[in-house]
Amino acid sequence: MSFGFLIYPGVEELDFQGPWEMVGMWHKYANGPAPCLVARNLEPVRCAHGMRVLPDSEFASVGQLSHLLIPGGFAAFDEMNQSDVCDFVRRHSLAGTTLMSVCSGSFILLGANVLTGRRACTNWKVIGKLREAGIEVVEERYTRDGPVWTSAGVSAGIDMLLAYIAFSQGEDVASTVQLHAEYFPEGRVYGNSRGAQTVPSYVAQA
């Protein structure tokens, strides 16, 4: 099995790095799938905050993936209109790949016609935009609809991956991954910036 992470210029770093860490720990300590970065070509990809990363594979040569995660960022709204990206995602969807999105990566799923008739999560800033596209948006940290998992913004992808591992492999494997990643959020909420925004209910109640 191989777990692909789609990357493209302007992708939000933590959208894929957080889940990558979870998959990496799963692979190392519990025989999970090997993670790989997939892009339209093998050129370095500059991310939203300036980090440059090197893809492992390109669309044309990656082969069939068992899982494919689509991260977001503002650039996702350009990528959702790119035929090569949408064709790549759609091909894996039709082949039975488990698909996941983080943040506005849900709009790439939308562009690939994967979200039709499904519920989804997305970044709080664009919930209205996804609803306007006819998608039932769930205001939670993550959700599952069949073989498609979606999460809210940025850090939420970490929680989605742990939940997916628990769902597909059991609590013991998820516990092993969580421990080795030392991912035990303290739950502290700083200030009240969320009070001045229209945010999902799970954020408002934090």
Side-chain angles (χ1 to χ4, degrees):
M1 294 192 298
S2 54
F3 200 123
F5 291 76
L6 175 66
I7 56 173
Y8 49 86
V11 65
E12 184 72 30
E13 284 90 339
L14 192 60
D15 279 15
F16 70 90
Q17 290 170 358
W20 174 279
E21 187 72 23
M22 298 299 107
V23 174
M25 293 294 184
W26 179 18
H27 178 63
K28 183 173 184 178
Y29 294 105
N31 298 311
C36 65
L37 297 175
V38 186
R40 54 172 48 92
N41 56 52
L42 297 180
E43 295 297 316
V45 173
R46 186 173 294 279
C47 303
H49 303 291
M51 179 179 287
R52 292 201 307 164
V53 294
L54 294 174
D56 299 303
S57 299
E58 55 190 344
F59 294 169
S61 61
V62 68
Q64 185 60 38
L65 299 166
S66 56
H67 304 75
L68 177 61
L69 183 139
I70 297 93
F74 290 114
F77 298 106
D78 291 326
E79 297 297 327
M80 69 178 288
N81 295 312
Q82 303 302 314
S83 60
D84 59 345
V85 170
C86 291
D87 289 346
F88 175 72
V89 172
R90 191 180 303 112
R91 171 165 63 86
H92 280 83
S93 175
L94 293 173
T97 299
T98 296
L99 295 181
M100 301 179 179
S101 71
V102 179
C103 193
S104 56
S106 56
F107 285 85
I108 295 178
L109 292 180
L110 178 69
N113 295 319
V114 171
L115 288 188
T116 303
R118 299 188 187 276
R119 303 186 309 155
C121 295
T122 193
N123 185 287
W124 65 270
K125 296 178 183 178
V126 291
I127 285 175
K129 186 177 180 68
L130 193 58
R131 282 189 174 135
E132 289 171 4
I135 304 302
E136 180 184 352
V137 180
V138 181
E139 295 187 18
E140 298 290 348
R141 193 108 170 114
Y142 57 84
T143 194
R144 167 183 170 257
D145 192 324
V148 179
W149 292 67
T150 55
S151 84
V154 197
S155 64
I158 299 172
D159 294 331
M160 178 182 69
L161 249 298
L162 275 175
Y164 172 75
I165 293 169
F167 170 82
S168 63
Q169 306 299 312
E171 289 280 333
D172 289 345
V173 175
S175 178
T176 296
V177 172
Q178 185 177 41
L179 177 61
H180 284 285
E182 201 167 337
Y183 182 66
F184 300 98
E186 63 176 329
R188 181 175 177 182
V189 177
Y190 296 90
N192 193 36
S193 293
R194 67 196 186 286
Q197 310 287 342
T198 302
V199 297
S201 54
Y202 88 90
V203 175
Q205 295 167 7

